[in-house]
């Protein structure tokens, strides 16, 4: 009984400390101008000021993607993989002022999924005055998720999606198919972890060995069908890398096989 009480007190203390940290983070976020551009948003996201909403990204790669989002100002965004909320924060800041941003995350998922319920208000606070953020703690592959998305989107079509969830081959394929189900004719779909070399943390983890280069393998197949771009900081890096598909754009046969060139800014 004493041990149970001690554990409860410890959990309560941890909860209070974390809530206080989130309160301080909110104040720092409020200092970032609402009209900040992509570079300023990314600089903030990868600074000590944003501690608590870390983005599991290489800054140079995500900066290139953020500039792309800023240019397009999407009105309907689907993000698969919320994690610590860093990419959600950036997407909300760079989306259209009346955008709907839907973020899916699988509780207890093997790739870092799930966040405590008390973090949800922090994530929703990323929305601008006329934006809406919808948080779904669900399996992106479930049929009920399709129904939930259909209800949220209504007549809207997704014009930007970011896939960074299940990194197994079948998982990323299903996530792509989900995005395509609701995609606008000229949508942009970005996939994370397309680098030629696998993430060593996954190779060593028994639960993640199926992800050893799986996203890269899917990327190599799907990029043949669409105009695309790759943001890879260093072709020798292990893991990371962002691939961007331009749905509806004409495919250039000379680039259909893809590229392993170093990072391109997309500008």
């Amino acid at each position: 009984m004493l041990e149970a009480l001690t554990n409860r007190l410890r959990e309560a203390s941890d909860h209070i400390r974390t809530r206080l940290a989130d309160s301080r983070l909110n104040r720092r976020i409020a200092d970032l101008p609402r009209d900040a551009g992509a570079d300023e948003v990314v600089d903030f996201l990868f600074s000590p000021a944003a501690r608590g909403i870390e983005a599991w990204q290489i800054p140079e790669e995500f900066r290139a993607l953020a500039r792309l989002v800023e240019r397009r100002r999407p009105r309907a965004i689907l993000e698969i993989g919320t994690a610590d909320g860093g990419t959600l924060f950036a997407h909300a800041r760079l989306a259209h002022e009346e955008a709907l941003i839907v973020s899916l995350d699988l509780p207890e998922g093997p790739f870092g999924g799930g966040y405590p319920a008390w973090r949800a208000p922090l994530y929703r606070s990323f929305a601008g005055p006329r934006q809406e953020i919808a948080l779904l703690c669900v399996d992106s592959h479930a049929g009920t998720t399709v129904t939930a998305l259909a209800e949220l989107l209504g007549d809207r079509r997704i014009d930007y999606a970011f896939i960074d969830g299940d990194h197994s081959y079948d998982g990323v394929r299903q996530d792509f198919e989900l995005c395509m189900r609701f995609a606008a004719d000229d949508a942009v779909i970005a996939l994370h972890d397309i680098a030629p070399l696998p993430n060593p943390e996954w190779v060593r983890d028994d639960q993640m060995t199926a992800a050893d280069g799986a996203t890269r393998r899917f990327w190599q197949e799907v990029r043949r069908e669409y105009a695309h771009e790759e943001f890879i900081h260093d072709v020798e890096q292990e893991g990371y890398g962002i691939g961007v598909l331009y749905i509806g754009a004409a495919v250039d046969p000379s680039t259909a096989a893809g590229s392993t060139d170093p990072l391109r800014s997309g500008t």
Side-chain angles (χ1 to χ4, degrees), residues 113-162:
Y115 50 86
W118 51 261
R119 288 218 94 189
L122 170 66
Y123 293 165
R124 292 193 186 97
S125 74
F126 297 162
R130 290 188 286 169
Q131 290 179 335
E132 178 185 354
I133 289 179
L135 303 173
L136 300 181
C137 292
V138 296
D139 183 349
S140 59
H141 307 152
T144 52
T145 300
V146 174
T147 302
L149 277 176
E151 292 177 354
L152 280 169
L153 290 168
D155 295 332
R156 284 177 284 202
R157 306 297 292 177
I158 294 165
D159 41 15
Y160 169 73
F162 184 64

Side-chain angles (χ1 to χ4, degrees), residues 228-245:
H228 62 271
E229 197 165 10
E230 295 184 358
F231 303 141
I232 299 177
H233 178 58
D234 182 348
V235 294
E236 298 299 323
Q237 73 193 33
E238 297 177 319
Y240 300 90
I242 298 172
V244 178
L245 301 170

